[in-house]
Amino acid sequence: MHTIKAEAISREAYAPFGVYYDYLNPEGYALEGEIHKFYPDRISESCTTRVGYSPIAVRKEEKIVIKSVEYHTTSPEMILPLNDDMIIHVAPASGGTPVPEWTKAFVVPKGTMVKINTAIWHLAPLPVKENVLHAMIILPECTYANDCTVVELKAEQQFEIVL
C-alpha cells in the first residue's frame, strides 16, 4: 500500500489545490473600530445558489487508510476545523478518474479554513489529535446530493496517510 506523509500546509505546496486562511491569527489590512479589528473577504467565492454550512464529525482511526475519494464538478468546498488540527488529502482534477499517485496530504491548523478548488479529488477531513474532529463544511446547498462523485479506490490504489 502506498504511504503519503502529511506535511504542514504552506501557500506554495497547497496552491495547485486551493487557498487557505488562518482565522485565529488574522494578518493583513483590517478595518478597525474601538474594540475590534475586522479582516474583510479573506476567502471569497461566487455562488449562484444558497450556501449550506454543515457540521461534520470524523472519528479518529488507528491507521488512516483512504479507500474512496470524491470531487464536485461545479463548486469548490471549504472546510474549517473547529476543535483540532485536521488532515486533508487532495489530488489534481482528472476528469473522473482518480489519480491517487498524485495525492498530497496536508496538516491544517485548527481555525484555518481551506478552500478546495472545483474538481479537486478529496474526501472528509481527518483528526490529528482528538478522538473526534468537528469541522464546518461550506458548499452550495445539496451539493452532496447533486454534485458529488464518490469513487471507491481499487485495493492497489488505496493509500495510507502518516504524520
Side-chain angles (χ1 to χ4, degrees), residues 63-80:
K63 291 177 83 175
I64 303 172
V65 177
I66 306 304
K67 298 178 181 178
S68 60
V69 292
E70 72 176 29
Y71 69 96
H72 313 290
T73 59
T74 61
S75 65
E77 179 170 332
M78 294 187 222
I79 307 172
L80 177 64

Side-chain angles (χ1 to χ4, degrees), residues 44-130:
S44 60
E45 183 59 42
S46 295
C47 191
T48 59
T49 187
R50 294 167 45 102
V51 175
Y53 299 84
S54 304
I56 187 170
V58 183
R59 188 180 67 249
K60 186 173 184 172
E61 297 288 323
E62 190 173 317
K63 291 177 83 175
I64 303 172
V65 177
I66 306 304
K67 298 178 181 178
S68 60
V69 292
E70 72 176 29
Y71 69 96
H72 313 290
T73 59
T74 61
S75 65
E77 179 170 332
M78 294 187 222
I79 307 172
L80 177 64
L82 300 172
N83 70 319
D84 190 8
D85 297 345
M86 70 177 176
I87 299 166
I88 60 168
H89 58 88
V90 289
S94 59
T97 301
V99 287
E101 65 275 15
W102 291 95
T103 299
K104 295 191 87 133
F106 295 98
V107 176
V108 180
K110 173 174 71 174
T112 299
M113 181 181 291
V114 294
K115 175 180 165 183
I116 300 172
N117 288 340
T118 303
I120 296 295
W121 290 99
H122 65 284
L123 202 63
L126 304 159
V128 172
K129 297 179 270 275
E130 297 294 328

Side-chain angles (χ1 to χ4, degrees), residues 7-51:
E7 61 187 86
I9 197 165
S10 69
R11 302 223 183 278
E12 183 179 328
Y14 191 67
F17 310 105
V19 296
Y20 67 92
Y21 189 78
D22 182 349
Y23 284 85
L24 296 179
N25 300 291
E27 295 179 336
Y29 171 76
L31 302 173
E32 296 190 47
E34 192 172 315
I35 61 169
H36 75 277
K37 284 187 175 182
F38 174 66
Y39 298 83
D41 306 329
R42 291 308 188 243
I43 294 180
S44 60
E45 183 59 42
S46 295
C47 191
T48 59
T49 187
R50 294 167 45 102
V51 175

